[in-house]
Amino acid sequence: MGGKRIDALREKWLELHESGRKEEADKLYWDELFPLIRGEFRRKCTEFKNRYDALIMTVGTTPQPLILTLDAVRPSRVFFIYTADTEAHLSRVIQEVDFLRRHEVHYDREKVNPDDPVDIYEKIGRRWEEWSREGEMRCALDNTGGKKSMVSAAAAAANFLGIDILYVDHEKYLAELRTPMPGTEYLTQLPNPYITLGELKIRQCLDLFNAGSFEAAAEKLREVRGEIQGKRALSVATRVETLERIVRGYSLWDRFHFRRACEELRKARESAKRFELEVDLDGLDSNLMVLETLSREARGESLFKVLRRSPEFGLHLAVDLYCNAARRELAGAPDDAVVRIYRCLELVSQLRLAQIESEGVEGFDTDNLRWELVPEAVKARYEHFARQVYGNDYVRMPRDLGMMHGHILLAAFDDPLWRREGVDGLKRFHKTVDKRNELILIHGNKRATDGNVEEFTQQAYLVLGRLANIMGEDLDDLVDRHNFIRL
């Protein structure tokens, strides 16, 4: 009904203009057409109602856009910037808007020189600071009205301060009357260039993070921070600060600095939750629980004592090495991936040997294995298995027990990790892990291939799966908890 009435009055208004009866057209507009447009505008712009606590408005020679924005937003306070030429039009705005006319909403005004941008910057900045001291204030600037120089200066100040910019746009413009077609007006929010450009670089940072390139991601965030330095583009600055903590935390974790990683990610989580940023909080919580366990390693204490006292720590550290290897492969470093999986498998043997109790011995330390404490029957089985695995390369009972010897000794102890695998299982295992010695990173002359990584990963998955089962855990669940969140 309202739309049809607007159409009819608009046709009459246009006819009056075409016949040169401008005063009649203006009276028709303000008395009958504009009240209907205001009602229709409020209906179309309901998403803006109560979105902002405060509005800053530049006043031009056309009061209608300001009235429409005030109708739609209904802020609790308003600050008008006007000039000597637009003061009368500001009075019209105040008279037309009931909550201003009745002083139900606090409003203030400042006269400016439209050609002096510094004056405009200072007045907007000072008012924004006053409001900010009162607490969190959702603020917007409507710069639809006013001289171009004043509008541009106000927009620059708003972008600098991180204030949203609103604009009353239109679907059709009547060039001959130099006015929008009545009834086609709508309210829009203009993008902040600091935010838009910052978001593009943040997206690049997220892609780098998800690809395991943590240093490159951190550098991209430093670029964004440098570009918005001193500019209060709050939504970007807050997000950058939180993302910097996240990237720094996971980078520390990737380099096995568990305590410092835990501290950074705790702070990042608090910030992400406080500012309602789009971060996988459930995944972050799961990661933090893992880091709590990994952070329990006592400084200055031998690995053997730590594994003996806290087998849970050993399990998580082994899984963490496994997941770290996957990230190295993703980052295009297969040699590093193989080395980490090898260390993972070595740690598994160290963990299980630390848990063995035999004839009064509480665990065996692979860094200084006391063979005299190993039962004779176990020694005999060890030598039997070792000869079949190594053949002519068999080395008799080394004091410093390497990864493969550790697993053979576990099999000799009939540890559940190898109980069902037998000699054939040990041989298959050795065939895979021995390829690590051929790598340039160790003392060989080859580079790891994707096939090497896949073969190592399969072996590690089998061994870790058996270890997790022994300790009452599910490997897939552990891996999920150790995998870094995606941004």
Side-chain angles (χ1 to χ4, degrees):
M1 183 70 178
K4 291 181 179 179
R5 180 64 176 155
I6 288 174
D7 290 342
L9 288 171
R10 184 167 53 207
E11 288 299 321
K12 187 176 180 181
W13 175 79
L14 286 169
E15 290 173 3
L16 289 171
H17 269 292
E18 288 172 359
S19 61
R21 298 152 67 185
K22 184 179 182 305
E23 290 185 7
E24 291 182 50
D26 287 346
K27 181 173 174 45
L28 174 69
Y29 179 88
W30 284 104
D31 291 348
E32 300 184 55
L33 181 55
F34 189 57
L36 292 176
I37 291 172
R38 290 175 68 174
E40 188 67 14
F41 190 85
R42 283 194 298 268
R43 187 188 65 78
K44 290 191 294 186
C45 302
T46 53
E47 73 272 19
F48 287 94
K49 185 177 181 181
N50 300 322
R51 181 187 292 186
Y52 301 102
D53 304 301
L55 269 181
I56 299 171
M57 311 190 85
T58 55
V59 182
T61 57
T62 307
Q64 294 96 316
L66 282 73
I67 296 169
L68 293 174
T69 299
L70 288 163
D71 280 348
V73 176
R74 299 191 69 85
S76 58
R77 60 188 65 196
V78 186
F79 176 53
F80 294 105
I81 297 173
Y82 69 99
T83 68
D85 294 332
T86 63
E87 187 170 2
H89 299 285
L90 172 57
S91 298
R92 182 70 184 259
V93 171
I94 294 169
Q95 286 302 311
E96 288 287 336
V97 179
D98 57 354
F99 57 81
L100 296 180
R101 185 176 65 252
R102 295 196 292 261
H103 297 281
E104 295 172 357
V105 165
H106 177 78
Y107 67 89
D108 204 350
R109 67 186 90 184
E110 287 270 10
K111 184 185 290 187
V112 298
N113 177 353
D115 298 318
D116 184 356
V118 175
D119 183 33
I120 297 168
Y121 297 155
E122 288 180 350
K123 285 182 168 57
I124 292 177
R126 192 181 310 120
R127 187 53 52 111
W128 184 85
E129 286 184 1
E130 289 175 7
W131 287 343
S132 297
R133 283 197 293 269
E134 298 175 16
E136 186 175 347
M137 183 72 65
R138 298 170 299 173
C139 182
L141 166 80
D142 185 318
N143 66 342
T144 311
K147 191 176 178 182
K148 287 182 180 179
S149 57
M150 180 170 72
V151 167
S152 298
N159 288 330
F160 188 90
L161 296 169
I163 296 172
D164 287 350
I165 297 179
L166 303 182
Y167 184 81
V168 177
D169 209 339
H170 46 266
E171 296 171 6
K172 186 176 181 180
Y173 187 74
L174 300 174
E176 65 279 8
L177 297 178
R178 301 181 65 185
T179 186
M181 174 69 83
T184 67
E185 302 91 345
Y186 63 93
L187 189 59
T188 186
Q189 179 183 334
L190 301 180
N192 185 324
Y194 295 130
I195 293 176
T196 302
L197 295 175
E199 288 289 347
L200 290 175
K201 290 199 172 181
I202 287 173
R203 182 64 260 169
Q204 292 175 326
C205 158
L206 304 189
D207 292 340
L208 289 166
F209 176 90
N210 292 335
S213 299
F214 304 111
E215 289 305 313
E219 178 59 32
K220 190 61 64 176
L221 286 173
R222 282 191 287 270
E223 286 181 21
V224 179
R225 177 178 284 281
E227 289 169 5
I228 65 172
Q229 191 68 39
K231 305 173 183 67
R232 305 184 186 194
L234 296 181
S235 60
V236 171
T238 301
R239 193 174 180 207
V240 167
E241 182 178 347
T242 304
L243 286 174
E244 280 186 319
R245 286 197 180 280
I246 290 174
V247 171
R248 187 160 54 245
Y250 281 106
S251 180
L252 286 165
W253 185 354
D254 194 58
R255 289 176 282 134
F256 308 107
H257 298 300
F258 302 125
R259 283 192 182 86
R260 290 168 60 197
C262 196
E263 291 169 4
E264 286 290 344
L265 292 180
R266 278 200 206 103
K267 293 174 183 176
R269 189 200 180 285
E270 291 173 5
S271 178
K273 186 175 181 181
R274 183 186 315 122
F275 295 107
E276 298 182 349
L277 302 180
E278 292 184 5
V279 173
D280 180 6
L281 292 179
D282 290 339
L284 194 49
D285 284 339
S286 183
N287 284 166
L288 282 168
M289 290 176 65
V290 165
L291 278 174
E292 292 282 355
T293 301
L294 291 170
S295 299
R296 292 174 192 166
E297 180 185 3
R299 295 178 180 176
E301 194 173 16
S302 71
L303 178 61
F304 167 71
K305 290 182 178 178
V306 173
L307 295 178
R308 176 68 189 173
R309 184 187 71 252
S310 179
E312 180 190 14
F313 166 81
L315 172 63
H316 278 282
L317 184 57
V319 174
D320 202 66
L321 283 160
Y322 177 83
C323 293
N324 193 297
R327 293 194 294 274
R328 297 284 69 72
E329 182 186 16
L330 180 65
D335 294 292
D336 289 337
V338 167
V339 170
R340 280 160 172 74
I341 295 176
Y342 189 94
R343 178 65 189 111
C344 162
L345 294 169
E346 183 179 41
L347 181 65
V348 172
S349 68
Q350 293 173 315
L351 171 58
R352 291 304 300 161
L353 287 168
Q355 301 304 309
I356 287 177
E357 297 184 2
S358 175
E359 298 181 5
V361 178
E362 295 184 349
F364 290 90
D365 184 357
T366 59
D367 288 338
N368 186 22
L369 192 73
R370 299 180 62 187
W371 283 101
E372 67 274 15
L373 300 179
V374 177
E376 292 300 322
V378 174
K379 290 180 184 177
R381 285 196 296 274
Y382 167 84
E383 291 189 0
H384 171 70
F385 290 152
R387 285 193 184 93
Q388 294 186 68
V389 169
Y390 287 107
N392 295 332
D393 295 328
Y394 165 63
V395 177
R396 182 179 176 84
M397 298 183 183
R399 178 68 63 178
D400 185 4
L401 207 63
M403 189 272 290
M404 193 65 221
H405 287 282
H407 282 281
I408 293 172
L409 184 56
L410 284 171
F413 268 111
D414 195 32
D415 188 84
L417 191 72
W418 286 100
R419 185 170 295 156
R420 296 183 180 181
E421 304 306 312
V423 174
D424 289 340
L426 286 169
K427 286 181 177 179
R428 287 191 299 271
F429 183 72
H430 177 252
K431 183 179 178 182
T432 294
V433 299
D434 193 48
K435 293 176 182 177
R436 168 258 192 186
N437 296 324
E438 301 173 357
L439 298 181
I440 293 174
L441 282 178
I442 310 303
H443 42 69
N445 57 8
K446 294 182 179 180
R447 301 299 302 269
T449 66
D450 292 340
N452 293 145
V453 177
E454 183 179 359
E455 190 176 354
F456 264 78
T457 300
Q458 289 174 350
Q459 282 289 350
Y461 185 82
L462 293 172
V463 173
L464 281 175
R466 297 199 296 269
L467 175 65
N469 187 58
I470 291 168
M471 298 181 66
E473 297 277 4
D474 177 78
L475 178 58
D476 290 336
D477 178 61
L478 285 169
V479 169
D480 283 344
R481 285 188 273 156
H482 278 260
N483 278 335
F484 292 1
I485 64 170
R486 293 186 64 80
L487 295 176

